[in-house]
Amino acid sequence: MKEPSEMLLVDIDFCSLADLDDIYAIEEAAHGHPWPYEIIESDLRHKTGQIFYIGARWNGVLCGFGACRREKNSLKIMNLAVHPDFRRNKIGTQLLIAMGEIGIRLGCKRATLEVRITNYAAQLLYEELGFRRIKVIPHYYEDSEDAFLMESPLPFPAISVATKNNGTHL
């Protein structure tokens, strides 16, 4: 694996029920309060086309995933997790960009998410793509920690500027 803070270019594709155990292993490794296995299983089994799970694979190994859904004209980013062994390699950024593309294809004009107020690394990642804090949601998490509601227009402003500067389009 590359040194931390370099980009590790991963393959990103849609996940299926066959990825469930790998997704949950990442969820447990990445979060102190993981989503229940049964919720992820139900999403993958019954909500195909409503909730989208995408996976980042490096050399065929699932190293991160994201989950999102459409809510009216917004893309709701429900979860983003990168295995700790693969962090600081821009995998989270690549997953967010891919979820933004899903949102654009679904006709969404903006993306929203909640993030723990103590998760400074995630907040920085989101801000780099153009998310801004909208409000604090008191006692949002199971352990009563507050969350920031964050929002960004789609396409993400940082991506729009980059594509305009080099003449390419996503």
Side-chain angles (χ1 to χ4, degrees):
M1 190 167 39
K2 293 188 175 198
E3 291 296 315
S5 298
E6 293 183 23
M7 180 176 282
L8 186 64
L9 191 58
V10 293
D11 294 319
I12 296 180
D13 59 6
F14 289 99
C15 294
S16 70
L17 195 56
D19 297 307
L20 175 61
D21 289 339
D22 292 335
I23 289 170
Y24 192 70
I26 293 167
E27 177 69 7
E28 281 191 308
H31 297 294
H33 302 278
W35 278 9
Y37 183 94
E38 296 78 18
I39 288 185
I40 298 169
E41 180 181 28
S42 176
D43 288 350
L44 290 168
R45 188 179 301 276
H46 303 295
K47 297 186 179 170
T48 303
Q50 297 171 10
I51 296 177
F52 301 92
Y53 279 75
I54 59 171
R57 298 178 198 280
W58 185 66
N59 289 338
V61 175
L62 193 69
C63 56
F65 75 93
C68 59
R69 70 174 181 246
R70 182 179 175 184
E71 292 182 351
K72 297 183 182 176
N73 68 344
S74 293
L75 178 73
K76 170 72 170 191
I77 296 174
M78 302 164 48
N79 200 342
L80 177 67
V82 175
H83 192 282
D85 292 346
F86 287 89
R87 287 186 181 156
R88 300 183 51 83
N89 288 289
K90 307 289 185 194
I91 294 168
T93 300
Q94 293 172 74
L95 285 163
L96 281 169
I97 291 168
M99 286 190 281
E101 286 296 307
I102 290 169
I104 291 167
R105 287 192 170 89
L106 292 172
C108 298
K109 303 297 182 200
R110 66 178 185 249
T112 63
L113 56 82
E114 293 84 19
V115 61
R116 288 179 178 272
I117 60 168
T118 57
N119 192 342
Y120 307 112
Q123 291 171 41
L124 181 60
L125 167 64
Y126 303 143
E127 289 168 354
E128 287 174 352
L129 282 177
F131 281 87
R132 60 186 176 83
R133 296 175 190 161
I134 302 300
K135 67 178 182 177
V136 174
I137 305 171
H139 311 293
Y140 179 79
Y141 291 98
E142 230 174 61
D143 61 357
S144 294
E145 184 174 349
D146 297 345
F148 286 120
L149 173 63
M150 299 184 78
E151 180 180 274
S152 174
L154 288 176
F156 294 126
I159 303 305
S160 296
V161 169
T163 56
K164 285 179 187 172
N165 287 341
N166 72 16
T168 61
H169 299 281
L170 295 176

